[in-house]
Amino acid sequence: MPHWGRRPAGPSPPEVRLRIAVIGGSAGGLTAALLLARAGHAVTVLEVDHLEPAADVETAAAAGFRAAAPQIVQPHVLLTTFQEILRERLPDVDAGLRDAGAVEATLQSQMPPTLADRSPAPGDERLVLPDCPRRPRPGWSPGSTSSPSASGGGDNATMQLVVAPLAADRRFAPARREAVFTAVLRTIPLYASWLDVMDPITDVVVMGGLHNTLRRLVVDGRPVVLGLHAVGDAVCTTNPTFGRGLSMTMRGIVDLLDVLTAHPEDPPGQVLALDDAVGRHIAPWYADQCRTDSAFLAALRHQVLGAPAPVPTQPANRLTFGQLRAAAPVDADAFRAVWRVMGMEGHPDDVYTDAALFAHVRDVLAGGPPASMPQPSHAELERVLSVAV
């Protein structure tokens, strides 16, 4: 059983209202259980794996891989929506993270060196990331990257590097082997400089099946089932390189809590109200991710596999996430817009149709795409991928 610590000062919780079984002891399942229990519900967590509390953080990390949840060892990030809900609904847990050494990384600390205007702007305080104190080795100076799919910072001066090729590009299959994985990263100068001052501490961990999915439990205005509510990945999964999973999960948990508070004895009303919340708080991000991924994958298939060039279908006077990301390395407004969309702090439609931002990004991109990080040629990649180990 997890130990959650002392209840914060305040009114006593109400008497037990509902008996609830939470299926899955994930971060989302345990957070849901904690919030529901503090609201006065009787909660039981059902988990297929046999989990014992670890003696310390290092032991927990060493035994972190679970066959039922392979994504645990992949990079995770706590973006704006997650942090704001955590501070509001679980202030003691937020304080516990800070007591354990977590600090805030400002938006300016995430800016790439190519961005000339690094001055603070109103709203930057909401676009912070939790970070861990670094105890770097001599020579450690990794710089910054605006791509969360490339790397993830961790505790105790650790760094996680990720290779995310097209699933259809079978040439990357050998990158499962450590020597080939490292050779691929060394074809990129920035990552080669990181590898020079880092020591590997794990094997290469493979993850697949990265699909965008959305599940609704209301069809034609009628609940599909009563008494069963979905949150987290059971509702929606999106491209994990955007790091929205935990934010969507937290948003869904508090929506469930609020729905049960408003409709404690109305199972049909619970389902309808929670589906309405999914439509407002989850579905727009799912749709945005599908559009973004479709355009990006079409471009990659054209560049890498020789597929037909994609035909632009974007409406006039509306930005795409790809355009924002292209301008972000050299324009602070676009950079902020990227983090607003990724952090679920600004609704996609509001950001993409902002007239001033549209005109500004259009002017930035009119001079041609900004210079990107040096990349290996196809010949270089094929050479390192074909090396026998």
Side-chain angles (χ1 to χ4, degrees):
M1 295 292 292
H3 174 65
W4 295 109
R6 181 176 299 166
R7 181 183 301 280
S12 298
E15 295 182 1
V16 172
R17 303 173 63 188
L18 297 173
R19 295 178 59 83
I20 299 174
V22 175
I23 303 173
S26 63
L30 294 179
T31 302
L34 178 59
L35 281 167
L36 290 166
R38 288 186 175 180
H41 303 293
V43 182
T44 300
V45 177
L46 307 178
E47 168 56 49
V48 67
D49 288 335
H50 181 70
L51 304 177
E52 293 288 347
D56 50 52
V57 172
E58 295 298 332
T59 303
F65 182 81
R66 290 165 52 195
Q71 70 274 17
I72 285 178
V73 295
Q74 300 294 345
H76 288 74
V77 63
L78 309 181
L79 295 174
T80 301
T81 292
F82 180 95
Q83 293 186 72
E84 291 185 343
I85 293 175
L86 187 71
R87 284 193 292 267
E88 177 186 352
R89 302 290 184 123
L90 293 171
D92 57 320
V93 177
D94 180 64
L97 288 175
R98 298 176 190 281
D99 290 343
V103 295
E104 287 187 347
T106 65
L107 184 71
Q108 281 66 34
S109 71
Q110 307 300 312
M111 290 179 171
T114 52
L115 232 141
D117 181 8
R118 309 172 73 87
S119 56
D124 283 1
E125 68 280 357
R126 298 187 64 189
L127 302 176
V128 298
L129 295 175
D131 204 357
C132 301
R134 300 282 194 254
R135 291 184 285 278
R137 288 176 48 181
W140 174 265
S141 181
S144 174
T145 171
S146 62
S147 174
S149 63
S151 62
D155 196 9
N156 294 329
T158 60
M159 177 65 67
Q160 191 169 57
L161 299 176
V162 178
V163 175
L166 278 169
D169 190 352
R170 302 305 303 164
R171 293 173 298 179
F172 276 85
R176 296 167 179 259
R177 302 195 298 266
E178 181 180 338
V180 178
F181 182 90
T182 302
V184 168
L185 288 173
R186 283 198 173 277
T187 64
I188 302 173
L190 174 63
Y191 300 141
S193 69
W194 292 4
L195 292 171
D196 289 340
V197 292
M198 293 166 57
D199 297 317
I201 59 175
T202 71
D203 296 329
V204 176
V205 181
V206 179
M207 183 178 176
L210 311 182
H211 306 299
N212 297 317
T213 63
L214 180 66
R215 180 180 289 110
R216 306 289 287 266
L217 297 181
V218 171
V219 176
D220 296 330
R222 297 174 61 86
V224 174
V225 61
L226 300 181
L228 177 66
H229 302 300
V231 296
D233 289 354
V235 174
C236 183
T237 62
T238 56
N239 183 339
T241 65
F242 278 59
R244 287 176 178 156
L246 288 172
S247 291
M248 283 189 168
T249 295
M250 188 66 91
R251 180 72 265 171
I253 290 170
V254 298
D255 284 341
L256 172 62
L257 179 62
D258 293 344
V259 163
L260 293 180
T261 300
H263 305 275
E265 299 179 359
D266 180 10
Q270 294 170 8
V271 180
L272 294 172
L274 191 58
D275 184 71
D276 177 71
V278 169
R280 290 181 288 110
H281 297 152
I282 303 297
W285 304 103
Y286 165 77
D288 175 57
Q289 193 70 66
C290 288
R291 287 191 298 265
T292 298
D293 285 357
S294 177
F296 184 55
L297 289 174
L300 279 181
R301 292 189 184 103
H302 171 63
Q303 296 168 6
V304 176
L305 303 178
V311 178
T313 58
Q314 188 69 11
N317 300 323
R318 181 185 174 93
L319 289 167
T320 66
F321 184 81
Q323 289 171 323
L324 286 178
R325 201 164 192 173
V330 295
D331 184 77
D333 289 342
F335 183 83
R336 288 183 173 87
V338 165
W339 282 103
R340 287 183 62 212
V341 172
M342 288 184 59
M344 301 171 63
E345 190 274 331
H347 193 287
D349 288 343
D350 293 338
V351 175
Y352 298 149
T353 59
D354 183 292
L357 182 63
F358 176 87
H360 183 67
V361 171
R362 180 192 57 194
D363 292 342
V364 170
L365 297 178
S372 61
M373 181 190 303
Q375 302 288 326
S377 66
H378 285 187
E380 287 179 281
L381 274 178
E382 289 180 353
R383 177 180 59 79
V384 298
L385 288 169
S386 63
V387 173
V389 179

